[in-house]
């Protein structure tokens, strides 16, 4: 389980808060031959985000739009949030079947200027 402070720290350390990086979801699946291994299954741009104070989560979403969100849109609002927000879980809503997916790791693609939230499906 990743929380908001993990996200903030990783972005600072891995891409130095570069505001132009686009958030994407990296999809991982279990290897059918070895369930302890995960296989990269693709990537999708994240198009929305928001804090849900009731569920105590930062939710990113993948919707059928051409919108994309950048580090510069997300991080400044998180940096000024209350301290309790730092412990909110980070989750991704892929679709109706895969909503509230737990983020299991972070990554980056410097060439494509993408910051990746890895989820396991």
């Amino acid at each position: 389980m990743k929380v908001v402070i993990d996200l903030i720290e990783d972005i600072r350390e891995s891409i130095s808060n570069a505001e132009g990086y686009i958030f994407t979801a990296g999809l991982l699946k279990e290897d059918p031959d070895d369930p302890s291994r995960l296989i990269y299954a693709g990537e999708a741009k994240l198009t929305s985000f928001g804090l849900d104070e009731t569920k105590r989560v930062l939710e990113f979403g993948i919707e059928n739009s051409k919108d994309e969100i950048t580090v510069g849109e997300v991080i400044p609002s998180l940096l000024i949030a209350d301290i309790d927000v730092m412990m909110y879980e980070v989750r991704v809503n892929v679709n109706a079947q895969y909503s509230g997916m737990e983020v299991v790791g972070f990554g980056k693609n410097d060439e494509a200027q993408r910051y990746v939230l890895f989820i396991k499906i």
Side-chain angles (χ1 to χ4, degrees):
M1 170 181 81
K2 297 295 183 183
V3 295
V4 171
I5 192 71
D6 298 330
L7 175 68
I8 291 170
E9 288 178 0
D10 190 74
I11 287 174
R12 185 185 70 234
E13 291 173 6
S14 66
I15 63 171
S16 302
N17 291 335
E19 295 184 357
Y21 275 66
I22 297 166
F23 276 100
T24 61
L27 308 174
L28 302 173
K29 298 190 305 188
E30 282 185 4
D31 183 342
D33 299 327
D34 181 2
S36 67
R37 290 188 49 215
L38 295 174
I39 300 171
Y40 178 75
E43 198 171 291
K45 287 184 182 178
L46 296 170
T47 60
S48 65
F49 75 99
L51 287 172
D52 185 327
E53 294 179 8
T54 306
K55 295 187 220 173
R56 300 180 53 82
V57 296
L58 169 61
E59 292 181 311
F60 289 89
I62 299 171
E63 300 165 1
N64 294 333
S65 75
K66 296 192 188 272
D67 294 341
E68 53 191 29
I69 53 175
T70 64
V71 168
E73 294 173 70
V74 176
I75 295 303
S77 61
L78 295 177
L79 291 174
I80 61 170
D82 291 337
I83 193 72
D84 63 323
V85 171
M86 297 300 158
M87 295 310 294
Y88 283 17
E89 285 185 61
V90 181
R91 296 199 168 258
V92 175
N93 293 323
V94 177
N95 57 30
Q97 181 182 2
Y98 297 107
S99 68
M101 302 300 295
E102 183 178 322
V103 173
V104 296
F106 306 117
K108 66 177 180 164
N109 180 332
D110 289 325
E111 287 181 20
Q113 297 261 307
R114 295 197 174 155
Y115 185 79
V116 184
L117 305 178
F118 287 106
I119 58 174
K120 181 180 154 190
I121 56 171

